[in-house]
Amino acid sequence: KPMRLMSLNALPIVVTMAIVSLLCLNQQLVAQTNDRPNIIVIMADDLGYGDVSCYGATAISTPNIDKLASEGVQFTNGYCSASTCTPTRYSFLTGTYAFRGKNTGIAPPNGPAIIQPGTTTVASLLDDAGYATAVIGKWHLGLGGEQGPDWNGELNPGPLEIGFDTCFLLPTTNDRVPQVYVKDHRVLNLDPEDPLWVGDKIPSPDHPTGITHRDSLKMDWTHGHNSTIHNGISRIGFYTGGHSARFRDEDLADKWVEQSNQFISNHKDEPFFLFFAAHDIHVPRMPHERFQGKTSLGLRGDCIMELDWCVGELMKTLDEQGIAEKTLVVFCSDNGPVLDDGYADGAIEKVGDHRAGGPFTGGKYSVYEGGTRTPLITRWLGTIKPSVSDEVVCTIDMASSFAALTGQELPDDQCRDSFNVLDCLLGKADAEGRDHLVQQDNGNTGTYALRSGRWKLHRYDRKRARNVVVEQLLENTPVDRLQLFDLENDPSETTNVIDQYPDIAKRLETKLATIIES
Ligand code: NG6
Ligand code: CA
């Protein structure tokens, strides 16, 4: 009896203790979730190492990107994995080298989805970790099943099938048709009475192209880009219809910022992941009127200014929402620079002393450093100590690093080329980056480079390399099949030292072949 009384007396205490411990557990969970920062990856398009002022540009000023760098880690050995868009984006999202995937080269206007549903991606792993996930901006990774995008129906699979909760996209790049937004699975504002047709043949004589109506263009083409005209600019590929869905090039950046700010504000109380895929500074370079003519570098410089403005706007939103200290921001580029990429926009004529690739040789389309060594900055106010890092990190490493940051396990067969360089990204002292990195130009072309410490081996499958000298018209320069450079003494890759160091070249050649074949 006394026992029973005691236990009855103890009951409220037990219940209270249970409630208290449940509350604590709950608080712990909440704390854990709060510890996980929001993540914004801002990926610029075709932005070179030397194109922003914190990386040495003097002909142009990029105050917002510079501020990001001064508040975070500025990498001097930051890379994207390829020197063209689609393979870098593929690798960034999947943590896998693009040469391992099928059809990972520059995607055409009607290209099907390249990343298959079920693949682990940066988005899917953050989705699993409880993040709200969005991609806003340029996609260029294909949409739809094997037949390609059903522009008037459901665009599936796409980002939503690989981990994004929502998307607001330009389907490819803006030099490719069509100029419409895709929101989730549909073309936005499409009038069913005026269906959108995208194809590879001239649709009708009354549909102007850059060849038939060249005089009417507001920006002339120089190579390619002479098919359907929209907004006074002829593009790659043909299309008709979908007029109510079409946008103006000049409004793209504003749209990305507006959509992003909305997403950030809607999700400010939960962890979110935003992939802000800018179109700047890809061709056609047609920034908003308020940026046109504002730099000495012509439209290419004006687009850099517009990109910098976007960065500033996003950071302002984080401040306004009071979440700047809860947000890890990564700024990067998808490949190195190119001046004339098919339109007469004055980029070469106005370049002056500006070196878009900084001290490096080559740019977009090339495996010289300028093709893949690009601005890379991380900022997490209050957590990251501002610094400059010489460690080697790559956009392909975001998958493993974000998995580590959010406590996600990666399946063994996924994200296999992604290294966990989280400590480097967070600017921790003594953190070590990658000891090697494969660079490629496009899809599965067979042209690669392997950086291993101070050494870099180029391996070409053809006799010429593209865009070695960025300040000239795109040219193909003769190259030897194998070249070795000593980045420590020759960061600009001017002198092939393969004859002096045959053993090192052999070691790197074998290592490269092993990675490619593994
Ligand atoms: C090339 C285009 C170039 C650009 C590039 C893709 C021609 C002659 N050149 O084929 O203008 O669109 O593809 O750029 O059409 S990327 O940054 O999206 O990879
Ligand atoms: Ca690009």
Side-chain angles (χ1 to χ4, degrees), residues 44-46 83-86 89 138 173 282 334-336 364:
D45 199 346
D46 296 4
S83 58
T84 48
C85 167
T86 303
R89 284 158 206 263
K138 162 171 167 169
T173 64
H282 198 282
D334 72 337
N335 53 252
K364 182 172 183 175

Side-chain angles (χ1 to χ4, degrees), residues 26 28 148 197 247 271 276 318 324:
N26 190 39
Q28 235 174 9
W197 179 89
F247 56 66
F276 182 92
L318 294 183

Side-chain angles (χ1 to χ4, degrees), residues 418-492:
S418 182
F419 286 15
N420 174 5
V421 293
L422 181 64
D423 285 349
C424 288
L425 298 180
L426 299 185
K428 295 207 177 136
D430 304 327
E432 281 181 20
R434 305 180 68 99
D435 61 347
H436 71 278
L437 174 69
V438 176
Q439 292 143 260
Q440 59 171 123
D441 57 351
N442 189 13
N444 304 298
T445 61
T447 288
Y448 301 99
L450 172 68
R451 173 160 184 196
S452 178
R454 65 188 267 203
W455 301 104
K456 173 147 167 211
L457 183 86
H458 295 208
R459 190 189 95 178
Y460 293 90
D461 70 336
R462 59 193 106 120
K463 296 206 159 53
R464 288 165 183 274
R466 201 147 202 233
N467 200 20
V468 176
V469 184
V470 173
E471 284 71 31
Q472 297 173 357
L473 279 178
L474 271 184
E475 264 185 41
N476 294 319
T477 312
V479 278
D480 292 337
R481 196 183 95 80
L482 289 173
Q483 303 190 59
L484 183 73
F485 296 98
D486 173 3
L487 293 181
E488 201 172 285
N489 292 314
D490 179 24
S492 309

Side-chain angles (χ1 to χ4, degrees), residues 2 22 26 66 93 97 119 134 154 159 161 166 176 185 215 253 277 315 343-344 371 382 449 452 472 481 508 517:
L22 269 176
N26 190 39
D66 296 1
L93 285 176
Y97 286 131
T119 310
E154 198 177 341
E161 284 61 49
T166 184
R176 275 143 229 260
H185 282 135
D215 289 347
M315 296 311 109
Y343 291 100
S452 178
Q472 297 173 357
R481 196 183 95 80
L508 263 64
E517 283 149 25

